[in-house]
Amino acid sequence: MSRHMNDGPARTPLGTKRSVDLRQVRADDFRYLSAVARTGSRRSAADFLGVDHTTVSRRIQALEKVLNVRLIERGSNGWELTDIGRIVAEQARSIEMSLQQAVDAAVGNTDNSLRGTVRVMATEGFGSHIIAPALARLRMQHPDLSIELLTATRQLNLHQSGFDIAIAVGTLLNSRLVSEFVSRYSMGIYATQGYLDRYGSPRTLEEVRDHPLIFFVDSLLQVGDLDLGRHIPGATAKFMSTNIFAHVEATRAGGGIGLLPAFMASPYPELIRLLPDRIDVQLEFSLAARRESLTNPTVIAVRDAIQAEVAVRRHELLPPVR
């Protein structure tokens, strides 16, 4: 059983009704919990808020004492929010929004510019090629907006609270989230002319298996839709990396045949697509956000910017196969 940082209030079952004297609640304490939810640790939350980590701990402890619930606990990856903590942190976002609106009214900011920080989680290739330019342009239009883009090639942890929008391969299923389709995208096998001149060009799926393939490290991938054997039965990768950009560079270097997203391979004319009529793997990207986040105009604007970018660049994601 995990130990709480101060062995404070006993865990209260989720959904249990209890009475709390609102006069004892300090609304500002919710900002500290929200910062831990956003950043994933007390120390990072402290940096985000401009205080020391002991202040973050003390303010959350005070909130736990008033509410008589445990909001964070030690888990396998450090301090994590409890189930109740996640719910409280999500609701606390409205306090931050109200605070920002009050400040804007006080200083006379009546324009429609976006403010605050939005954290987006996405896969490496899509996040870098498609999302980054869209969000960079949006941020330049709104000087008071800050954007954090976290990318990785792994199964996204949609149970954590430290994101506003997540984009991943496949359909995102989580009862706490609103999920929507973003786009389908095509993957194919590519090689350089130099590689083909030296080792020959495969004419069938069976011949593809005889070539060194470039793909993900299967044991570390944890994304079922990207299973190599599902798309090229019987094939095994000989050059593997957890980084999609390494796949592209290894293929460009003549290290084998890479199974690559078309939108990442097409910018390089030296990469030749092979057997497009036989190997055209089509997967999809989905976007997820918490229902509470979609009441935030800034989060909505980020979501709309991503969808608009995809709409004008769909030809890159799904190029004609020829």
Side-chain angles (χ1 to χ4, degrees):
M1 178 179 295
S2 63
R3 289 178 53 83
H4 190 255
M5 61 183 176
N6 63 344
D7 290 325
R11 183 184 302 275
T12 303
L14 192 61
T16 301
K17 293 184 179 179
R18 52 197 173 273
S19 177
V20 175
D21 187 350
L22 291 180
R23 293 173 298 180
Q24 299 180 22
V25 178
R26 296 176 59 181
D28 193 50
D29 288 344
F30 288 98
R31 294 179 56 244
Y32 290 82
L33 180 66
S34 180
V36 172
R38 174 182 294 278
T39 63
S41 74
R42 292 178 298 161
R43 192 170 298 277
S44 297
D47 293 339
F48 177 76
L49 294 169
V51 299
D52 59 77
H53 74 279
T54 58
T55 299
V56 174
S57 298
R58 178 170 49 81
R59 297 295 289 271
I60 294 179
Q61 289 171 10
L63 185 59
E64 288 181 320
K65 184 176 181 179
V66 171
L67 299 179
N68 194 31
V69 294
R70 286 184 175 178
L71 299 173
I72 66 174
E73 62 184 357
R74 185 179 293 280
S76 58
N77 296 317
W79 291 103
E80 300 174 350
L81 271 67
T82 63
D83 289 340
I84 295 177
R86 281 191 287 269
I87 294 172
V88 174
E90 290 166 11
Q91 297 297 327
R93 294 295 299 273
S94 62
I95 296 176
E96 293 183 288
M97 293 172 57
S98 297
L99 178 62
Q100 183 63 63
Q101 291 168 356
V103 171
D104 290 343
V107 300
N109 288 334
T110 58
D111 58 16
N112 293 321
S113 62
L114 304 176
R115 294 179 176 83
T117 301
V118 176
R119 173 173 285 186
V120 179
M121 296 170 56
T123 58
E124 285 173 330
F126 188 75
S128 300
H129 274 263
I130 306 295
I131 296 179
L135 299 190
R137 288 192 295 270
L138 179 68
R139 205 224 64 80
M140 291 301 292
Q141 297 169 9
H142 302 277
D144 295 322
L145 173 63
S146 295
I147 293 176
E148 299 174 350
L149 176 60
L150 280 60
T151 63
T153 302
R154 56 178 170 77
Q155 192 70 43
L156 298 181
N157 181 5
L158 300 180
H159 294 283
Q160 68 184 46
S161 301
F163 71 90
D164 296 294
I165 290 174
I167 297 178
V169 177
T171 302
L172 303 177
L173 299 176
N174 188 300
S175 60
R176 295 173 178 163
L177 303 176
V178 176
S179 180
E180 64 185 29
F181 174 78
V182 175
S183 176
R184 293 191 68 78
Y185 73 101
S186 172
M187 296 182 70
I189 55 172
Y190 293 82
T192 62
Q193 188 61 57
Y195 173 87
L196 298 176
D197 290 342
R198 186 171 183 178
Y199 299 103
S201 180
R203 293 167 294 178
T204 64
L205 278 176
E206 290 72 21
E207 291 184 4
V208 170
R209 301 189 193 103
D210 295 331
H211 289 260
L213 296 181
I214 298 169
F215 203 55
F216 291 103
V217 180
D218 183 66
S219 61
L220 300 177
L221 184 58
Q222 299 180 337
V223 180
D225 287 342
L226 294 177
D227 178 29
L228 178 61
R230 179 183 301 184
H231 307 304
I232 308 177
T236 56
K238 297 299 184 181
F239 181 94
M240 293 162 280
S241 173
T242 57
N243 189 303
I244 186 65
F245 294 97
H247 301 179
V248 174
E249 294 306 315
T251 306
R252 293 180 65 205
I257 294 177
L259 179 58
L260 307 173
F263 69 88
M264 296 189 68
S266 59
Y268 301 102
E270 67 270 27
L271 293 182
I272 302 169
R273 187 162 185 173
L274 310 173
L275 303 177
D277 58 330
R278 298 294 307 277
I279 301 178
D280 181 27
V281 178
Q282 293 200 7
L283 304 176
E284 67 179 52
F285 288 116
S286 296
L287 179 151
R290 288 176 172 76
R291 297 180 189 278
E292 296 79 8
S293 295
L294 292 179
T295 63
N296 185 332
T298 302
V299 175
I300 294 172
V302 169
R303 188 271 306 272
D304 292 346
I306 293 171
Q307 290 285 22
E309 184 78 7
V310 168
V312 299
R313 299 178 63 181
R314 203 172 303 277
H315 63 285
E316 299 177 40
L317 295 163
L318 280 173
V321 177
R322 56 183 181 275

